[in-house]
Amino acid sequence: MERSVQYKLLLEVKGTEIARTKAFDREKALIQAMRLFWRKGYAATSIEDLIKTLHLSRSSLYGTFGDKRTLFLEALKLYSERVISGTARTLNESPSPIDGIQKVFDDLVAGAGSETGALGCFMVNSVAELVPYDPDVTKIATTYADALQRLFTTVLTQARSQDMLTKKQTPEQLAAYVFNMIQGMRILIKSGATKEQVQAISAITLQSLQ
Amino acid sequence: MERSVQYKLLLEVKGTEIARTKAFDREKALIQAMRLFWRKGYAATSIEDLIKTLHLSRSSLYGTFGDKRTLFLEALKLYSERVISGTARTLNESPSPIDGIQKVFDDLVAGAGSETGALGCFMVNSVAELVPYDPDVTKIATTYADALQRLFTTVLTQARSQDMLTKKQTPEQLAAYVFNMIQGMRILIKSGATKEQVQAISAITLQSLQ
């Protein structure tokens, strides 16, 4: 191989590596920003907090993510995608539609009394803080609610076809009910509800679907 | 009547009137502060916002209510007392225990799509923003949750004695379930759920109590 070609290849490989490292660092920093906004809320998080937590200079922060609001919206979208894909995975991997919903509830109940549970849901927190005054947050929240309710509607429609579901309501209505239950639980757990209380709420909800 | 006695009486009456006016103004200002914190959240409300909304000078504001955090805690307590007494009144004035809970839900459903509905619940918003990092807010939220769940437990115990309640759970567990429903609805309505969606959720919840 000619030396110049070898050199070019080496440069290409190095370039890809640098790009990969940069992408990795960006995602890592975005996750750190998500955790910070989740814990502190939008208004209470300062640019100084972000600089300190993300280990970035002010100019790198603005260069990589734009201003505080742009970074917040990207962090909230990342959270939304993670919850939606995590819920889809849980539902898909479960032996039956109702087992899937039970598993989603069980994961919530497990958070009661823990530090993660006390953080609440980043989406619920952001809705409480910023909707309806921020139209971009409202849009992300609506997309999130629609996507999760669609997932629940799909499994509840399967449950209906297997004759495992009450016929008093449509799968769409029951999906809204399940989603409402989850949003409530995130607030209750944040307010300090015990595992037993949340467990009982989960049991009543599951029972009323059948 | 002697002139001096007359004068003393006049002074006393005037003093009472001034005290009454002052108390009235303080309560009016506190309600305005409550509405402002409710709408904007704690961190996003500045002392300047409070001065402007309450029509008070900076020194009057501090003299009457203390600092921003003290005023916020008093406003949140006022909200808590109002919701608890309003809920108690609704439940007491209803012809039957289940009718009472239905009326509480109906009032929530009526808020869907309205400006008040979009404000959400001041307690849910504050829990989302400040719990678990502010122990005073955590305490107010826990007291609020306990008081409302006790009210629901009382009417559900009445319903049980009238054989109008499912026997699968205790009235305490069903009260936690009803409370969870309400907290969830406040978030769902804030995120823009329609009246029909919230109505369906309310119907499923009531049905599962019986």
Side-chain angles (χ1 to χ4, degrees):
Chain A
M1 206 185 280
E2 273 181 49
R3 198 176 181 86
S4 68
V5 175
Q6 273 188 329
Y7 186 65
K8 208 184 149 208
L9 273 177
L10 188 70
L11 267 184
E12 274 175 2
V13 170
K14 280 220 162 176
T16 313
E17 267 171 14
I18 289 166
R20 255 191 222 136
T21 312
K22 229 179 160 177
F24 174 72
D25 286 349
R26 193 187 187 283
E27 205 194 332
K28 203 175 139 191
L30 181 61
I31 292 169
Q32 284 167 335
M34 179 184 81
R35 289 192 181 135
L36 183 64
F37 281 126
W38 186 351
R39 187 163 56 82
K40 294 196 72 170
Y42 176 72
T45 302
S46 66
I47 289 291
E48 283 64 36
D49 293 333
L50 287 163
I51 287 170
K52 211 176 139 192
T53 305
L54 276 60
H55 305 291
L56 287 175
S57 68
R58 187 176 292 262
S59 65
S60 296
L61 182 75
Y62 282 101
T64 314
F65 294 109
D67 62 6
K68 179 178 135 180
R69 193 167 166 280
T70 311
L71 173 53
F72 176 81
L73 293 175
E74 192 177 343
L76 191 60
K77 274 183 202 159
L78 175 69
Y79 178 84
S80 172
E81 286 159 14
R82 286 182 160 209
V83 174
I84 294 165
S85 62
T87 308
R89 202 169 40 243
T90 302
L91 294 174
N92 287 334
E93 287 171 358
S94 293
S96 84
I98 298 291
D99 282 331
I101 293 175
Q102 165 103 53
K103 178 73 172 67
V104 171
F105 285 166
D106 286 350
D107 291 346
L108 273 174
V109 173
S114 77
E115 213 176 305
T116 319
L119 280 180
C121 164
F122 183 29
M123 188 62 72
V124 169
N125 296 356
S126 303
V127 166
E129 184 181 356
L130 300 164
V131 170
Y133 307 105
D134 188 318
D136 289 319
V137 174
T138 307
K139 206 179 150 195
I140 296 171
T142 310
T143 307
Y144 173 86
D146 288 349
L148 285 176
Q149 289 186 59
R150 261 202 309 278
L151 286 178
F152 292 128
T153 301
T154 304
V155 291
L156 289 166
T157 306
Q158 288 166 10
R160 162 82 35 104
S161 73
Q162 294 164 16
D163 215 17
M164 288 167 70
L165 201 72
T166 170
K167 290 208 168 60
K168 290 177 190 160
Q169 280 87 20
T170 65
E172 284 78 12
Q173 289 172 330
L174 293 168
Y177 166 75
V178 166
F179 181 64
N180 187 63
M181 227 51 231
I182 292 171
Q183 302 297 81
M185 277 185 199
R186 301 305 292 259
I187 287 290
L188 248 69
I189 291 172
K190 202 165 166 36
S191 326
T194 63
K195 212 164 263 197
E196 289 68 30
Q197 282 176 318
V198 192
Q199 178 59 53
I201 296 167
S202 151
I204 303 170
T205 308
L206 279 165
Q207 188 182 292
S208 62
L209 294 177
Q210 294 164 53
Chain B
M1 207 184 282
E2 273 181 49
R3 199 179 179 85
S4 68
V5 175
Q6 273 190 331
Y7 185 67
K8 208 186 147 209
L9 272 176
L10 189 70
L11 267 183
E12 275 175 1
V13 169
K14 280 219 162 175
T16 314
E17 268 172 12
I18 290 167
R20 255 191 222 135
T21 311
K22 230 179 158 177
F24 174 74
D25 286 350
R26 194 187 186 285
E27 204 194 332
K28 205 175 136 189
L30 182 61
I31 293 170
Q32 284 167 333
M34 179 184 82
R35 288 192 181 134
L36 183 63
F37 281 126
W38 187 350
R39 186 163 56 81
K40 293 195 75 172
Y42 177 72
T45 301
S46 65
I47 289 289
E48 284 64 36
D49 292 334
L50 288 163
I51 288 170
K52 211 176 141 191
T53 305
L54 275 59
H55 305 291
L56 287 175
S57 68
R58 187 176 292 261
S59 65
S60 297
L61 182 75
Y62 281 101
T64 315
F65 295 110
D67 62 5
K68 179 179 134 179
R69 192 167 166 279
T70 310
L71 174 53
F72 175 81
L73 294 175
E74 193 177 341
L76 190 60
K77 274 183 202 160
L78 176 69
Y79 177 85
S80 172
E81 285 159 15
R82 286 184 160 207
V83 174
I84 294 165
S85 62
T87 308
R89 205 169 37 245
T90 302
L91 294 174
N92 287 333
E93 287 171 356
S94 293
S96 84
I98 298 291
D99 281 331
I101 292 175
Q102 164 104 52
K103 179 72 172 65
V104 171
F105 285 170
D106 285 351
D107 291 346
L108 272 175
V109 173
S114 77
E115 212 175 305
T116 319
L119 280 180
C121 165
F122 183 28
M123 188 62 71
V124 169
N125 297 355
S126 304
V127 166
E129 185 182 357
L130 301 164
V131 170
Y133 307 105
D134 188 317
D136 290 319
V137 174
T138 307
K139 206 179 150 194
I140 297 171
T142 309
T143 307
Y144 173 87
D146 287 349
L148 285 177
Q149 289 186 59
R150 261 202 310 276
L151 286 177
F152 292 128
T153 301
T154 304
V155 292
L156 289 166
T157 306
Q158 287 168 12
R160 161 83 36 105
S161 72
Q162 294 166 15
D163 215 16
M164 288 166 70
L165 202 72
T166 171
K167 290 207 171 59
K168 291 178 192 158
Q169 280 87 18
T170 66
E172 286 76 13
Q173 288 172 331
L174 292 167
Y177 167 74
V178 166
F179 181 63
N180 189 63
M181 218 57 231
I182 293 170
Q183 301 299 80
M185 275 190 199
R186 301 304 293 261
I187 287 290
L188 246 70
I189 291 172
K190 202 165 167 35
S191 327
T194 64
K195 214 163 264 199
E196 289 67 30
Q197 282 175 317
V198 192
Q199 179 59 54
I201 295 167
S202 152
I204 302 169
T205 307
L206 279 165
Q207 187 183 290
S208 60
L209 295 177
Q210 294 165 51

